Every structure is written in C-alpha cells, then in structure tokens.
Amino acid sequence: MKDTISELHKQFCADLETILEATDFQRVRDQYFSRKNGQVTLLMKELGKLSPEERRDAGKLINDFKNFAEQELDSRQEELKRRAESLALERERVDISIPGHRPALGSPHPIVRARQRIEDIFVSMGYSVEDGPEIDTTFYNFDALNIPQGHPARESQDTFYINDELALRSQTSNVQIHAMQRRKPPFRVIAPGKVFRRDTPDPTHNPMFFQVEGLTVGKNITMGDLKGTLQTFLEKLFNRAITLRFRPSYFPFVEPGAETDFSCYLCASKNSGCRVCKGTGWIELGGSGMVHPNVLQACNIDPQEYSGFAFGFGIDRMTAMLYGIDDIRHFFAGDLRFLTQFR
Ligand SMILES: [Zn+2]
C-alpha cells in the first residue's frame, strides 16, 4: 500500500504539470477525486480489505496524500485564475504609443479666409460688419438705391425674382439701406455677403458670388476720404504701396460715381506684360462714389447736413488674386482636392 501511494504521489506531481487551463484542471481533479473511480476513492475502498493495523497506517498515508493533492490542486486553480485575469488585462491594454487614426480635418473655404482678412482690415479702420437679408423687397433692392423703373438692373433677365415684390439681391447694397435706417450718422459699415445674378458661369462669372460693400456717412465726408480709405485698405491687404485711380462712371446710387482701379500689386504698374494686370499696370477694383442725396433721403438722413461715400467689390475676384487662381468656378465646385490646399 505504501508503495502504491508513493507511486500515486509521483504520478500526481507529473499530472499536475499537465494542467495548463481550466479543462486540464477538471480532468486531473476527476482522475484523483471522482466519486466513482477517482484514484483516491479507489484507495479508500482498498482500505476495507486490510487488517486494522495496516488500515490505520495506510489510512494516514492516504489522508496525507489526499490533503497534499487537494492543497496542490487549490493553488493550481488559484494560479489559473490569476493567469486568466492577467491575460484579460493584456487583451484590454491600450497601447498609447500606436499611431491613432487621424480624423479628416476641415479647413475654412478660401473665400471665407479672404473675407475674414478683408473684414479684419476694415474693422481695424473703425468699420462695423453688417449683415442683411439675401432675399429682399424691391424697395431695399432698387427703390431706396435710386435705381429707377426700367433700369436694366431691375430686369428679370439680370435678377432672380421670387415674385413681383421679392428678389434675390443682385448686390449687397440693400444692407446699406438697412444700416442707414438703423443707425444715426456718423457711422462706418461694411456688408460682405452672397449676391445673385443671372450670369452664365465662366472663369470670372458665377450666378452666385460674394461681394463686400462699404459705406461711410458723416459730416464733411469727401471723395478724398473714399480714396484714402480704399488705398489704406488695399495697402494693408497686399502689404505694399498702392496707387488708386478713379474713372468717372454712372451708378444710380452714387453721385459722382467712379470705376475704381488700383496699381498692379504684382508688377507695380511697370506694364511688363504681367499676367495679373494684362500689362496695363491697373487692376479693376469695383464701383464707388459719393452716396446720392436721394439715397440718404430715402433713409431719412438729411443730405444738407450729411454726406457719405460707398464702394463695392467682388470677394471672389479678390480671393482669386490673393491666391493666384485663374477660374473662380473652382471656388464653387466643392472639389476637396482644390479646397484642402488652403489650410
Ligand atoms: Zn501687373
């Protein structure tokens, strides 16, 4: 009996080493402690066949082995549990050194960038930024701007009408009227925003585009103030000395009115066959002039006491110039390959 137990002890130690996971544990445990035919159970049955003395000694040996085996199995079970836990932790571990997935970042549209730059310059010159409706009545779109009945600007081939009374604004000038009604002179405002015209898209035209208008009303405002304001603005925008040129022109809402040109920022009026000014040395900015007395009157501002100047130009064209882009349709095509270049 003693030899049998000693053999069993050896066997058990070897079996213990085969336990690598929970199913091995159960197998070894059953092998020794199963109620039906576990090795320990079988030994207990053998005890009955022995003499009382032999039984006492053998009983003690079996008991010792049983305690030993149970203890070993318990500690093996503990170890399995610990290993399972640390495996689970290992699986759930987050490696913060692995490069992450970089989310696709958006960027401001080039026109938005240019508009912000333009706004910043005017704000630094004491202007406020005004916003106004993109759909407005004929009063704000035309009447108050001194645009007479029958003027081409009012034609439905130029303007998108919603009905007889409402139209998509074809210039941001409607905001000037709203601003003059809301404010008391003196004031300085700019109105950047979308405008709409029935144009066929080409490299320099689009049915929807962006414009900015400026308006200053106060006492003793002159063309000289207009010139100084635009020159200062352009010099800040292009960061170089600029010369301004007025060409007499007619716009119903200003008198006198002028087409405004500025000296080429690229070739500085050297007329060297430059691609920006086409060798003329001048770049067209837009229309400007002194606010027509009828417009001031329509907004209940006394033209005897106050005068003002107004100007407007296209933000899209300015953006194209700033970034050296030759076709403004790129701005509205929504092609990310184009748009993401402006970060
Ligand atoms: Zn030039």
Side-chain angles (χ1 to χ4, degrees), residues 263-283:
S263 54
C264 180
Y265 61 89
L266 200 66
C267 69
S269 303
K270 281 182 192 137
N271 300 351
S272 54
C274 156
R275 64 173 174 80
V276 175
C277 63
K278 308 277 184 293
T280 64
W282 294 100
I283 297 169

Side-chain angles (χ1 to χ4, degrees), residues 100-142:
H101 296 287
R102 200 178 284 278
L105 282 183
S107 57
H109 191 282
I111 288 181
V112 172
R113 277 175 180 274
R115 194 186 74 194
Q116 281 169 348
R117 216 164 126 191
I118 291 166
E119 284 180 7
D120 286 349
I121 294 173
F122 278 112
V123 166
S124 77
M125 293 163 72
Y127 280 74
S128 313
V129 181
E130 280 276 343
D131 200 10
E134 290 171 7
I135 296 171
D136 217 336
T137 62
T138 45
F139 173 79
Y140 288 100
N141 278 331
F142 306 116

Side-chain angles (χ1 to χ4, degrees), residues 19-38:
I19 296 179
L20 297 172
E21 48 187 85
T23 50
D24 300 328
F25 175 80
Q26 200 54 47
R27 172 176 53 78
V28 174
R29 189 188 193 102
D30 286 348
Q31 196 179 325
Y32 289 88
F33 291 102
S34 154
R35 273 167 196 247
K36 241 183 173 173
N37 48 10

